[in-house]
Amino acid sequence: MAERSPVARTTRAARTAEGLRAYRLIAAMWVRSTMAYRASFAMTTFGNFAATFLDFVAIMLMFSRVDALGGYPLPEVAFLYGLSAVSFGLADLMIGSMDRLGRRVRDGTLDTLLVRPAPVLAQVAADRFALRRLGRVTQGALVLGWSLTRVDIDWTVDRLLLMPVAVVSGCGIFCAVFVAGAAFQFVARDASEVQNAFTYGGTTLLQYPPTVFAKELVRGVTFVLPLAFVNWLPATYVLGRPYPLGLPRWVAWTPPLVAAGCCALAGLAWRAGLRSYRSTGS
């Protein structure tokens, strides 16, 4: 394979920098618009916090009847929940608007983004940037913090380092799922619910221990759609528990590689979807 020329690498870097700048400017515009109505922002953020907290309330009610779920007590399930919720919440905050792409394709408003001098992906990701989604991140962080005060973990340097690695990598994996789902909407233009099944549905799945699911499902979210690298694999390492599939413990350190691979594949899917787009002509 021919090596990429310096000019191509420079162009790719310039496009990336341009996309980040466009994303930052558009997101900042929506933040200013949101903060013009501070009371409304506070109420919607609290509503987002309360709605997501009900998910954890359901888990707490479940533990009022049982002592453990799949061999995991409440603090350890809360640990899984917190890791998943924070990673997904960050991804949802940054590019959660990607699920609106199908609507833009159907009504032709995507055409207005194509003529602007900024990468389309950055524009779609930052469109209607919703700062209220911080409520989900805050709720997940509080549950994660509470779990860390309750779980019995032998905190070593490697376990401490794995925590931020898991959160950042999990965010990257969910971002890739958002982008891949948006790319699919170029083909199936009314597929936002399909995308939600893998994003919102995926984070709900990860809130529970892998030991409560059939091994076929665990294999699927490990080797096909690698959501297990968001929290299951890092969490089993931190908690000192075996993974149901008997994978070696060093696999818990591979989420950054998995996230990079997922983002690369999602980028290819996005480019293919965008090239296949045909304007409505209206």
Side-chain angles (χ1 to χ4, degrees):
M1 181 180 294
E3 185 179 354
R4 190 182 297 274
S5 68
V7 174
R9 289 196 296 268
T10 302
T11 303
R12 177 64 61 84
R15 289 287 294 173
T16 301
E18 180 186 356
L20 291 174
R21 180 176 180 273
Y23 176 89
R24 185 175 66 253
L25 292 174
I26 297 171
M29 176 191 70
W30 284 106
V31 170
R32 289 194 298 270
S33 173
T34 299
M35 297 310 293
Y37 304 93
R38 295 179 184 271
S40 175
F41 164 71
M43 288 187 290
T44 54
T45 302
F46 177 76
N48 189 271
F49 174 93
T52 54
F53 185 68
L54 291 176
D55 291 339
F56 188 64
V57 169
I59 295 175
M60 294 176 67
L61 291 174
M62 194 180 305
F63 273 92
S64 68
R65 300 298 182 185
V66 298
D67 295 326
L69 190 62
Y72 284 64
L74 177 59
E76 293 185 352
V77 173
F79 182 69
L80 292 173
Y81 178 99
L83 276 179
S84 172
V86 172
S87 296
F88 176 76
L90 291 172
D92 190 40
L93 173 67
M94 292 190 295
I95 63 172
S97 299
M98 297 294 295
D99 59 1
R100 293 192 178 93
L101 179 67
R103 188 182 310 167
R104 284 190 172 276
V105 172
R106 292 195 304 273
D107 61 23
T109 55
L110 182 63
D111 294 358
T112 61
L113 306 185
L114 293 172
V115 298
R116 293 175 182 171
V120 178
L121 178 59
Q123 295 183 69
V124 175
D127 183 41
R128 297 186 179 276
F129 184 87
L131 198 60
R132 68 178 183 276
R133 290 172 177 157
L134 279 174
R136 178 186 292 273
V137 180
T138 303
Q139 184 266 337
L142 289 175
V143 173
L144 180 60
W146 177 83
S147 71
L148 292 176
T149 66
R150 297 293 189 271
V151 292
D152 183 17
I153 298 175
D154 180 17
W155 286 110
T156 56
V157 175
D158 57 339
R159 286 188 170 97
L160 286 171
L161 291 176
L162 187 56
M163 291 294 294
V165 170
V167 171
V168 174
S169 301
C171 175
I173 292 171
F174 274 123
C175 284
V177 176
F178 270 112
V179 174
F184 179 66
Q185 293 188 52
F186 281 111
V187 180
R189 301 183 180 185
D190 192 15
S192 59
E193 293 304 320
V194 176
Q195 178 179 343
N196 291 341
F198 293 99
T199 51
Y200 292 93
T203 189
T204 301
L205 173 75
L206 297 176
Q207 292 169 5
Y208 297 92
T211 50
V212 304
F213 299 105
K215 284 194 175 182
E216 289 75 15
L217 177 60
V218 177
R219 289 191 185 96
V221 296
T222 302
F223 301 114
V224 181
L225 182 65
L227 294 178
F229 292 85
V230 173
N231 69 337
W232 280 356
L233 283 161
T236 53
Y237 182 92
V238 172
L239 296 173
R241 286 183 170 273
Y243 194 64
L245 302 182
L247 298 176
R249 290 177 60 78
W250 59 262
V251 176
W253 288 92
T254 58
L257 298 177
V258 173
C262 288
C263 288
L265 292 174
L268 292 175
W270 172 262
R271 293 178 63 185
L274 190 60
R275 284 196 298 267
S276 69
Y277 172 69
R278 296 294 180 267
S279 172
T280 60
S282 59

